[in-house]
Amino acid sequence: MGSTNFTVLDIGHGNCSLIEAGDSMTVIDAAQGSYVQDILANKCIKKIDDLIISHSDKDHVGGAIAILLDDEIAISRVHLNPDGIKTTATWDDFRTAVAHSMAQHGTKIITAINSDTDDIEYTDYKLEILAPSSIDCMTGPGSTGIDGKTLDANSMSVVLRLVHQESNIALIPGDMDADTLKYLNDSQQCLKAKVLVFPHHGGRPGSGDPENFAEEICKSVDPDLVLFSNSRKKHNNPIPPIITGIRGSNCGAHLACTQISETCCPNEEALSNDHLSNLFPSKGQSKKHSCAGSITIELNGPDTDVNTPLGPHTNYIEQFSSRKCII
């Protein structure tokens, strides 16, 4: 049996995670542009079992358009929740692309993915669906939740946990906000995982206090590795209160950003690509903006090693005295 790999792509400001096992492929979110499509073509990937869209924002769904319109890539299933108030051109184009894939490849569209949905199971791993609440999905974005708060795309974001050999490997929470975290904790959901793909690219979590949010989510997940899928040239993420909150959680995790923020190193001449993995390309590579870059972790149940793949990153960032990822 071949290895099962979990990859968080350096895609700039946005999210895209890949899970490969044998001849199966799952794609979770795809930031705008054709970058994910180009990677799949470069890797000669012609079939995607499941394309999962956490929510309707363009930095999570925009790149799915190119994949769905690519007649060389057959997508078996698309999972998403409806968003009746999203009126962006990106969301309209995405719907058109879904219709094209249905006609071209017989793609099935599953418009319900919530806490009551069955786990998405494969031979070698499964994806647990922890949020959003099935009750909130009855009305969706633009409506009022049972707690009286207005629901939006972020509060309805799909939260997934990757499980391999009964071991909790990665929490992939899209852009979950403080209200979602409260729902998960109030419902006594176990969020433990070795890897946390941090929501909002390390930016503000909606209306919640960022420091408190970061501290609470890290206490709940207790990760060994926190990943920020960010862009050097946008928002300067992760923001300081997020880093402070992670430190306050005492989780002791290794922190890594796909691209290096300008705060960590304003000097472009000090940047390098020598430490990057060659398993998948990194979008920041052309300008030497990648920090950890695209990160691939080989799954091995409870013995999954999240430190060795980040070894070159650890050595690279030691030269930057202003780096944010000191814990």
Side-chain angles (χ1 to χ4, degrees):
M1 183 180 297
S3 63
T4 301
N5 294 326
F6 171 59
T7 298
V8 175
L9 291 178
D10 169 10
I11 199 166
H13 182 82
N15 279 87
C16 184
S17 298
L18 310 177
I19 308 170
E20 308 166 271
D23 60 355
S24 75
M25 168 67 73
T26 297
V27 178
I28 303 169
D29 286 339
Q32 60 266 42
S34 62
Y35 192 70
V36 178
Q37 178 196 25
D38 293 342
I39 287 175
L40 296 175
N42 178 263
K43 294 291 184 179
C44 297
I45 295 169
K46 303 293 186 182
K47 181 178 181 294
I48 296 172
D49 295 280
D50 292 281
L51 170 61
I52 303 171
I53 303 299
S54 66
H55 63 298
S56 58
D57 288 350
K58 65 181 180 180
D59 54 343
H60 292 256
V61 72
I65 297 167
I67 302 172
L68 288 158
L69 292 176
D70 189 336
D71 291 341
E72 297 298 314
I73 301 175
I75 301 174
S76 299
R77 295 169 294 274
V78 176
H79 304 257
L80 75 161
N81 286 317
D83 190 339
I85 66 168
K86 185 66 76 171
T87 59
T88 63
T90 297
W91 190 239
D92 287 343
D93 290 346
F94 172 72
R95 293 166 61 200
T96 300
V98 168
H100 173 85
S101 188
M102 290 176 67
Q104 189 71 19
H105 298 294
T107 302
K108 293 183 178 180
I109 313 304
I110 303 166
T111 55
I113 179 166
N114 57 61
S115 56
D116 282 350
T117 307
D118 291 340
D119 296 339
I120 302 174
E121 298 199 37
Y122 308 84
T123 302
D124 301 316
Y125 64 94
K126 69 178 178 179
L127 287 166
E128 297 177 334
I129 305 162
L130 307 183
S133 156
S134 56
I135 297 296
D136 288 343
C137 281
M138 293 175 66
T139 50
S143 64
T144 301
I146 58 175
D147 59 0
K149 295 183 178 180
T150 300
L151 302 173
D152 60 18
N154 289 336
S155 56
M156 292 295 297
S157 190
V158 176
V159 177
L160 302 170
R161 182 166 57 186
L162 171 61
V163 178
H164 183 253
Q165 296 178 8
E166 304 303 318
S167 181
N168 300 326
I169 303 297
L171 191 74
I172 312 164
D175 275 346
M176 70 176 280
D177 58 14
D179 291 336
T180 302
L181 181 58
K182 183 178 185 302
Y183 157 71
L184 290 168
N185 286 331
D186 287 351
S187 58
Q188 298 184 325
Q189 288 267 29
C190 173
L191 303 182
K192 301 291 186 185
K194 286 177 175 287
V195 179
L196 169 61
V197 183
F198 204 91
H200 298 277
H201 325 287
R204 295 189 65 86
S207 59
D209 176 83
E211 183 176 334
N212 289 342
F213 176 77
E215 183 171 350
E216 288 303 314
I217 193 171
C218 285
K219 283 181 176 177
S220 298
V221 179
D222 192 24
D224 297 324
L225 172 63
V226 177
L227 297 178
F228 298 97
S229 183
N230 65 333
S231 171
R232 175 170 172 81
K233 292 296 184 179
K234 191 164 185 176
H235 303 313
N236 203 27
N237 289 335
I239 61 175
I242 294 294
I243 300 298
T244 300
I246 295 173
R247 288 175 177 162
S249 75
N250 294 317
C251 67
H254 183 124
L255 271 64
C257 299
T258 54
Q259 294 191 16
I260 190 166
S261 78
E262 292 183 309
T263 296
C264 293
C265 178
N267 180 14
E268 296 273 330
E269 295 181 358
L271 304 178
S272 170
N273 288 329
D274 294 344
H275 62 291
L276 297 178
S277 167
N278 59 8
L279 293 176
F280 282 91
S282 299
K283 189 172 184 180
Q285 194 164 357
S286 62
K287 296 182 178 180
K288 300 182 180 179
H289 287 175
S290 296
C291 195
S294 294
I295 303 160
T296 296
I297 296 169
E298 183 174 345
L299 306 190
N300 188 25
D303 296 322
T304 296
D305 178 4
V306 302
N307 294 313
T308 300
L310 271 296
H313 167 259
T314 301
N315 295 332
Y316 176 61
I317 62 173
E318 284 181 350
Q319 66 180 300
F320 305 121
S321 59
S322 298
R323 63 189 184 273
K324 298 178 182 180
C325 53
I326 300 173
I327 292 294

